[in-house]
Amino acid sequence: MAPFSKPETVLKQAEGLVSVGQTHAALQSLTEMFSSKRFRSTPLTSLEPIMHRFIELCVEMRKGRPAKEGLMQYKNIAQNTNVQSIEAVITRFVQLADSKVREAQEKAAVKSAVDVDDLEASETPESILLGAVSGDQSKDRTDRALVTPWLKFLWESYRTSLETLKNNTRLEAIYQQIAQQAFKFCLKHQRKVEFRRLCETLRLHLSNVAKYSHQQHSINLSDPDTLQHHLDTRFAQLNTSVELELWQEAFRSVEDVHNLLNMAKKAPRPAMMANYYEKLTKIFLMSGNALYHAAAWSRYYAIILSIGADASYSPYLTLLQRALLSRLLSQLSQVYSTIKIDNLLALVAPLKEAGIEGAYEEEQIEAYIMGCARRGELNIRVDHKDGSITFVDDAFVSADELQQPTASTSTSTARGESSIQPSVAELVRTRLSKVATCLHNSLHKIEESPEALSPEEQAEKFKALVVAVESERKALQLKRAIVARRRELLSELSVRKEKEASSRRAELSRREKEEEARRVREDLRKREQERTKKEIESIRIDEAKKYAQSLVDKGILKPNDVDLESIDTEGLITIQVAQLEKEKKELSERLRIIAKRIDHTERAYRKEEQPLIAQDYERQQATDKDTVEAIQRARLEAAGKAHQDDLATKARLSRMMGDYQSRRQEIIAKKGEEFARKKEAAKVKIEEEKKKRRNAVAKAREEERRRVEREEKEKAEKEAEERRIAEERRAEEERLREEEEAKAAAEEEAKRRAAEEVEQRRKQRELERQEAADKAKLQLQREEEAEAHRRQRAAEKAAPTRAPLAAPTALRATKDEPSSPSPAVAPARFGRGGAAAPAGGGWRAREAKNAGGAASAVPPQVNAPPARVGSPAPPVNGEQAKEGDDGFQTVRGGGVWRARRGGRT
């Protein structure tokens, strides 16, 4: 974005660029200024000349979109301060576009719009083909090329202006003005398509009024002036649609007008409504709706013509007067028995004041009443002495007399249809019949005649009545029970409601207490805030005094201009700005008052000249009539004289006809051969051009066929390639899926093998631990056996030759403890798996060691060697050992006894 420059500098740069022919660069420089952030802060006095120049460049270059964006930006800036500037720019924009259209029409020498169906459509295919085939352009195409682009731009300028000015009450007047100018544009150039679009645009803007009602300067349709502006525009829209013969659009316009009229608080001007109904007559006539057509004419003449002024309707005036008097007298005869003539004349006075001359005079009314009495339409008496009219209502007149036909069938029919109340004669005549009918119906309702019922039927009827009474009694009991139950329910409901009410009161009391506590807290908080605000206010006042004193010292502000207690530093700055705004507003107000005074003066001038205009119009009509008659006479005289001159000229020139014919034949004979030769050459050239055209068309078709075949081939190859890629993708996906499945299976197998290996290693370690434990037990057992053998050998070596003396000692030891084996000969313990436990591993082994130590400590003279340690013998054939048998055998004879090694289990 270019850096922001002053508006005057930008305008000078643009003018310089335009002077050297660089209009695009000039427009771009002005457009860049609108996109600047500082554009909004630029004064309007500097922006307005730039906008005018910007609009001129946009119109010259037919740049509608930049113009729309620029107008939108300018409207957003100026709509709050200077609406007149926006109106001036918009008006300038439309005037420039319209002047360009007029210049283009003058250049093309046309006076009306060219024949284009749609200004928003681009060049048609037919026009492109025609331009390609034909080498030269006709005058019509030249006109189209010159005028149509400017017509399009003018139409776009109207649309841009309406979009810019929409939904803003301050711009409502210029908006309606532009809309009516657009209607005139469509009517002048017969633009039916654009007129429909214009109507839709206006309807859309009107429907969006409620949507943007919350915005600033929004449209308020309840304002009479605003609504009147919209009505004026819709009436202009209706007139244009009728003149363009767009009957559907005219009907939609009528609906728009009707909706706006329903919103209006006061009726529009009669002339406007007359125009409205006149257009309605045309619309309903074209639609074939005769009833609405007649109703529209009725409304039209009710506004424009009280019927006597129109010669075609004047014969009906007398009949209408008679119908009104007949209806009035008929209704009076049904309501009153006597009426004053003055009152009757007073009732007729509004009809007389309506403007019908000679009607409803006293003599005419009296004559008509006498005529009605003479014909039998009314039975009345006129008393001129009392000045009253008496309507005679004979109570005993016969029905035949009432039904006698009168001279005026329409009057009697109207009297019968509009009967307000029955006459006395009718009441008397129908009284007895009504009483008889009522009695007959009552008897029929109560019971049928007794003669018609037999005794059996009467008995059955009595039984039926008894049954009915019983059923009614039961129904009454049921109703009483229901009423009692309802009372109980109501009592319970009232108790429940009382409980709920007490609960609500308790809850309300609790809430009130909470609210009171909250209010107390809120009061404390507010007091604290007020104290803080007072401190802040005191600081603000001090700062304002200092700032005001500085302004007084500088001479900017007078000491008595402001109240320092109620203003701060920002307020002092605002005062300076407000002073400037006040002066500006006072100037604007003075200008507004002057404009209003001028407007009132102009209105007074026009009001005074209004009656003079009518007089002048009458004089002008008379003068125009005389002028037309004089011109007609002069034209007839001139035509007669010219006819005589033409006859004389014909007679004079007829003598030359022979020479003319002979000369003509000579020229035809001379030029005939040359004409035939040129005709033949033209024919040959036409055939050559046809041949070239046929060849070009055939070549184009062949190229089109080849292109289509090439495209189809490329499409087939592309589809085959896509299928191949899809197959490869599916195969690759299948391969990847199989690889993933194989990988997952391998991982599962590896996990399973690893688990098996872990289980095998665990079992192997268990076996190894078991084997090691068995080996350790076996080794311990072997060591114990070896130790036992060692001790036995040592004891054998140390034993004396008197071995038998040791037996009693051993026996005594055995007798001392008959239930426990000797520690030295304790049975071997059996370990796990049935293996014998090593000896000496428990308390018994330790006791044996102690015993062995004690035995070795015996004095030498005892000479009792320790017994050989061995294992007790197992029981033979499963029998238990005898008591006192410790597994040793006594040595027989005198030899040395030896302990027998016990067998191992």
Side-chain angles (χ1 to χ4, degrees):
M1 183 184 296
F4 182 80
S5 301
K6 292 184 178 180
E8 296 81 3
T9 306
V10 174
L11 185 59
K12 289 181 180 179
Q13 291 177 355
E15 294 292 348
L17 292 172
V18 171
S19 63
V20 296
Q22 297 183 4
T23 54
H24 288 277
L27 181 62
Q28 182 64 25
S29 64
L30 296 178
T31 306
E32 289 178 354
M33 181 181 177
F34 296 147
S35 60
S36 175
K37 294 182 179 179
R38 297 178 60 186
F39 176 71
R40 292 180 175 273
S41 60
T42 307
L44 293 179
T45 55
S46 302
L47 284 181
E48 188 170 354
I50 296 177
M51 282 301 302
H52 283 286
R53 189 53 177 162
F54 173 74
I55 290 300
E56 292 174 0
L57 292 177
C58 289
V59 173
E60 290 178 2
M61 302 169 63
R62 289 205 296 267
K63 298 290 185 181
R65 189 174 187 83
K68 182 177 180 180
E69 295 176 355
L71 288 173
M72 286 291 186
Q73 294 282 351
Y74 189 70
K75 183 201 75 170
N76 294 335
I77 296 174
Q79 65 180 352
N80 295 324
T81 55
N82 194 350
V83 179
Q84 292 79 9
S85 178
I86 302 176
E87 295 179 358
V89 172
I90 294 292
T91 305
R92 178 65 174 167
F93 179 47
V94 176
Q95 288 176 353
L96 289 174
D98 188 53
S99 64
K100 289 295 182 181
V101 173
R102 290 196 299 270
E103 291 177 3
Q105 288 178 345
E106 292 175 359
K107 290 181 181 179
V110 292
K111 299 301 180 183
S112 61
V114 293
D115 187 13
V116 180
D117 292 336
D118 190 356
L119 293 180
E120 296 184 1
S122 59
E123 195 171 10
T124 60
E126 291 81 2
S127 63
I128 297 174
L129 184 61
L130 182 62
V133 173
S134 61
D136 56 344
Q137 292 183 346
S138 63
K139 186 175 182 302
D140 292 338
R141 290 197 295 275
T142 304
D143 296 341
R144 186 187 300 269
L146 289 175
V147 179
T148 303
W150 286 112
L151 279 177
K152 291 182 179 180
F153 185 77
L154 179 57
W155 166 244
E156 187 177 359
S157 66
Y158 283 126
R159 292 185 60 185
T160 299
S161 301
L162 292 176
E163 288 293 332
T164 305
L165 301 171
K166 67 178 182 180
N167 296 327
N168 194 319
T169 185
R170 305 188 70 183
L171 301 173
E172 186 65 23
I174 185 65
Y175 174 82
Q176 305 296 343
Q177 180 182 349
I178 295 297
Q180 297 196 15
Q181 290 182 9
F183 292 149
K184 294 178 182 178
F185 164 80
C186 296
L187 180 61
K188 178 181 178 182
H189 301 287
Q190 294 295 306
R191 308 312 309 174
K192 297 184 178 181
V193 176
E194 287 73 19
F195 178 74
R196 292 193 188 97
R197 292 174 180 165
L198 178 61
C199 295
E200 292 298 330
T201 301
L202 294 178
R203 291 192 189 97
L204 179 63
H205 292 173
L206 185 61
S207 63
N208 290 335
V209 168
K211 181 179 179 182
Y212 300 104
S213 60
H214 62 281
Q215 295 183 355
Q216 189 179 12
H217 308 310
S218 61
I219 299 296
N220 184 14
L221 292 178
S222 60
D223 186 9
D225 295 335
T226 302
L227 190 60
Q228 186 62 41
H229 287 316
H230 281 277
L231 278 174
D232 295 340
T233 304
R234 291 312 183 278
F235 279 118
Q237 175 181 330
L238 177 60
N239 295 335
T240 307
S241 60
V242 172
E243 293 183 13
L244 291 175
E245 296 182 354
L246 297 175
W247 304 113
Q248 292 184 356
E249 196 61 43
F251 189 78
R252 296 192 187 97
S253 302
V254 168
E255 290 181 345
D256 297 340
V257 173
H258 178 70
N259 294 332
L260 290 174
L261 287 176
N262 290 336
M263 299 172 61
K265 296 182 179 179
K266 63 178 181 178
R269 298 187 299 272
M272 185 180 295
M273 293 303 298
N275 180 47
Y276 171 67
Y277 288 119
E278 183 182 6
K279 297 302 183 292
L280 276 181
T281 58
K282 296 182 180 179
I283 296 171
F284 292 136
L285 180 62
M286 294 302 298
S287 64
N289 199 325
L291 178 61
Y292 290 153
H293 176 70
W297 274 125
S298 175
R299 294 292 184 89
Y300 173 76
Y301 284 115
I303 296 175
I304 297 299
L305 300 176
S306 281
I307 298 176
D310 194 345
S312 59
Y313 295 102
S314 57
Y316 301 100
L317 187 60
T318 305
L319 299 177
L320 184 60
Q321 296 172 7
R322 293 178 181 176
L324 291 175
L325 278 175
S326 176
R327 177 64 61 86
L328 178 61
L329 293 173
S330 175
Q331 293 182 356
L332 289 175
S333 66
Q334 298 177 34
V335 177
Y336 300 103
S337 59
T338 304
I339 186 173
K340 290 289 186 180
I341 297 177
D342 296 338
N343 293 339
L344 177 61
L345 296 177
L347 292 174
V348 180
L351 300 175
K352 182 179 179 181
E353 294 174 358
I356 301 178
E357 298 180 358
Y360 304 109
E361 296 292 340
E362 184 176 355
E363 295 80 3
Q364 291 182 349
I365 294 173
E366 185 177 357
Y368 179 75
I369 292 173
M370 292 297 103
C372 291
R374 184 175 62 255
R375 292 189 298 270
E377 297 177 3
L378 294 174
N379 192 5
I380 60 176
R381 290 197 302 267
V382 179
D383 189 351
H384 291 283
K385 181 179 179 181
D386 294 338
S388 63
I389 297 175
T390 302
F391 299 99
V392 180
D393 191 4
D394 192 356
F396 301 100
V397 67
S398 64
D400 296 335
E401 294 178 356
L402 289 174
Q403 295 178 357
Q404 286 179 355
T406 60
S408 178
T409 307
S410 62
T411 305
S412 62
T413 304
R415 178 178 59 191
E417 291 178 354
S418 60
S419 178
I420 298 176
Q421 61 185 6
S423 62
V424 177
E426 184 178 359
L427 290 175
V428 172
R429 180 172 56 84
T430 60
R431 182 66 176 174
L432 293 177
S433 62
K434 289 182 178 179
V435 170
T437 302
C438 183
L439 291 175
H440 176 74
N441 293 335
S442 300
L443 290 174
H444 183 72
K445 291 292 184 181
I446 294 172
E447 63 179 356
E448 299 178 357
S449 86
E451 292 81 5
L453 297 176
S454 62
E456 291 81 8
E457 292 176 347
Q458 291 180 0
E460 290 182 359
K461 186 174 182 181
F462 180 75
K463 292 179 181 179
L465 291 175
V466 171
V467 172
V469 169
E470 188 65 25
S471 62
E472 289 181 358
R473 184 182 294 111
K474 291 181 180 179
L476 183 60
Q477 292 176 356
L478 180 61
K479 288 182 179 179
R480 288 177 179 175
I482 292 173
V483 170
R485 180 58 182 166
R486 286 180 178 176
R487 288 177 180 174
E488 294 176 0
L489 292 176
L490 289 175
S491 178
E492 294 176 0
L493 182 62
S494 62
V495 173
R496 189 182 301 111
K497 287 184 177 179
E498 183 63 24
K499 291 181 180 179
E500 292 176 355
S502 62
S503 300
R504 285 195 298 269
R505 287 193 296 270
E507 181 66 17
L508 182 61
S509 176
R510 183 184 62 81
R511 290 182 180 179
E512 288 177 352
K513 291 180 180 178
E514 293 178 356
E515 184 68 22
E516 182 65 19
R518 188 191 63 78
R519 187 181 60 78
V520 171
R521 293 194 299 270
E522 187 69 19
D523 291 338
L524 293 175
R525 186 181 63 82
K526 287 183 179 179
R527 285 196 292 270
E528 183 66 22
Q529 289 180 352
E530 289 176 358
R531 185 183 61 80
T532 306
K533 286 182 180 179
K534 288 180 180 179
E535 294 178 358
I536 295 173
E537 186 68 18
S538 62
I539 296 172
R540 183 191 64 78
I541 292 174
D542 295 336
E543 292 178 355
K545 288 180 179 180
K546 293 179 181 178
Y547 186 76
Q549 187 63 35
S550 64
L551 293 179
V552 171
D553 296 338
K554 294 179 181 178
I556 299 175
L557 189 67
K558 294 181 179 179
N560 299 326
D561 286 349
V562 294
D563 184 12
L564 297 179
E565 299 295 332
S566 60
I567 200 166
D568 55 1
T569 306
E570 295 180 357
L572 294 173
I573 299 174
T574 306
I575 287 175
Q576 296 178 349
V577 178
Q579 186 67 23
L580 298 176
E581 291 293 333
K582 182 179 178 181
E583 295 176 357
K584 184 177 179 181
K585 289 182 179 178
E586 290 177 353
L587 179 60
S588 299
E589 183 65 19
R590 288 197 298 271
L591 293 176
R592 187 187 65 80
I593 293 173
I594 293 172
K596 187 173 181 181
R597 186 183 301 114
I598 294 173
D599 182 60
H600 288 179
T601 305
E602 183 64 24
R603 288 188 180 185
Y605 288 158
R606 294 188 181 186
K607 186 175 180 181
E608 291 295 330
E609 72 180 4
Q610 189 68 28
L612 301 178
I613 290 175
Q615 298 175 6
D616 183 68
Y617 179 72
E618 293 176 357
R619 290 195 301 270
Q620 186 176 356
Q621 279 187 330
T623 305
D624 291 346
K625 183 177 180 181
D626 296 339
T627 303
V628 169
E629 291 176 353
I631 292 173
Q632 187 70 11
R633 288 193 299 271
R635 185 180 65 80
L636 293 176
E637 293 175 357
K641 184 178 180 182
H643 180 65
Q644 295 297 329
D645 294 342
D646 291 341
L647 291 177
T649 303
K650 181 180 179 180
R652 182 170 53 83
L653 294 177
S654 61
R655 296 175 297 175
M656 302 169 57
M657 185 58 67
D659 297 336
Y660 166 73
Q661 293 293 341
S662 61
R663 180 62 180 170
R664 184 173 179 273
Q665 293 296 331
E666 290 177 1
I667 293 174
I668 291 174
K670 290 180 181 179
K671 298 294 184 179
E673 297 179 358
E674 183 179 359
F675 175 74
R677 186 172 60 256
K678 289 183 178 181
K679 183 177 181 181
E680 186 66 24
K683 184 177 181 181
V684 172
K685 187 174 181 180
I686 290 172
E687 291 296 331
E688 291 177 355
E689 293 295 331
K690 288 182 178 179
K691 184 177 180 180
K692 289 180 182 179
R693 181 60 180 170
R694 285 194 292 269
N695 293 335
V697 171
K699 184 178 179 181
R701 290 178 179 174
E702 181 65 21
E703 291 179 355
E704 180 66 18
R705 184 183 63 79
R706 292 177 181 176
R707 184 184 63 79
V708 172
E709 291 178 354
R710 185 170 60 255
E711 289 179 354
E712 290 179 353
K713 183 178 179 182
E714 292 176 355
K715 183 177 180 181
E717 292 177 354
K718 184 177 180 181
E719 291 177 353
E721 182 66 19
E722 290 178 352
R723 287 195 298 271
R724 184 185 63 79
I725 293 173
E727 291 294 335
E728 292 179 355
R729 186 183 297 110
R730 285 195 295 271
E732 182 66 19
E733 291 176 354
E734 184 67 22
R735 186 183 62 80
L736 293 175
R737 185 180 61 80
E738 291 177 355
E739 290 180 357
E740 289 178 355
E741 290 179 354
K743 184 177 180 181
E747 290 178 353
E748 291 292 333
E749 184 66 20
K751 290 180 179 179
R752 185 182 62 78
R753 291 179 180 177
E756 290 179 354
E757 291 178 358
V758 170
E759 184 66 20
Q760 289 177 359
R761 286 196 295 270
R762 186 184 64 77
K763 291 180 179 180
Q764 184 67 24
R765 286 196 298 272
E766 290 291 335
L767 292 175
E768 291 176 356
R769 284 197 295 269
Q770 184 67 29
E771 291 177 357
D774 293 343
K775 288 181 180 180
K777 292 177 181 178
L778 184 58
Q779 181 67 24
L780 181 60
Q781 183 178 0
R782 289 177 180 175
E783 290 178 355
E784 290 180 352
E785 290 178 354
E787 181 66 23
H789 287 306
R790 186 184 62 80
R791 289 181 179 179
Q792 184 178 1
R793 286 194 300 270
E796 289 179 354
K797 291 180 180 181
T801 57
R802 298 187 299 274
L805 295 176
T809 307
L811 290 175
R812 284 194 300 269
T814 304
K815 291 179 178 179
D816 293 335
E817 295 180 357
S819 60
S820 298
S822 175
V825 293
R829 294 178 293 132
F830 294 90
R832 184 179 302 175
W843 63 275
R844 295 183 183 273
R846 290 194 295 273
E847 291 293 333
K849 288 184 178 180
N850 294 330
S856 61
V858 176
Q861 63 270 14
V862 175
N863 293 325
R868 184 179 177 183
V869 178
S871 297
V876 181
N877 295 328
E879 298 181 12
Q880 295 290 338
K882 297 180 178 179
E883 185 178 357
D885 187 5
D886 56 357
F888 294 95
Q889 294 180 358
T890 305
V891 179
R892 294 180 182 180
V896 179
W897 68 274
R898 295 182 180 272
R900 184 180 176 180
R901 176 176 292 182
R904 299 177 62 185
T905 59

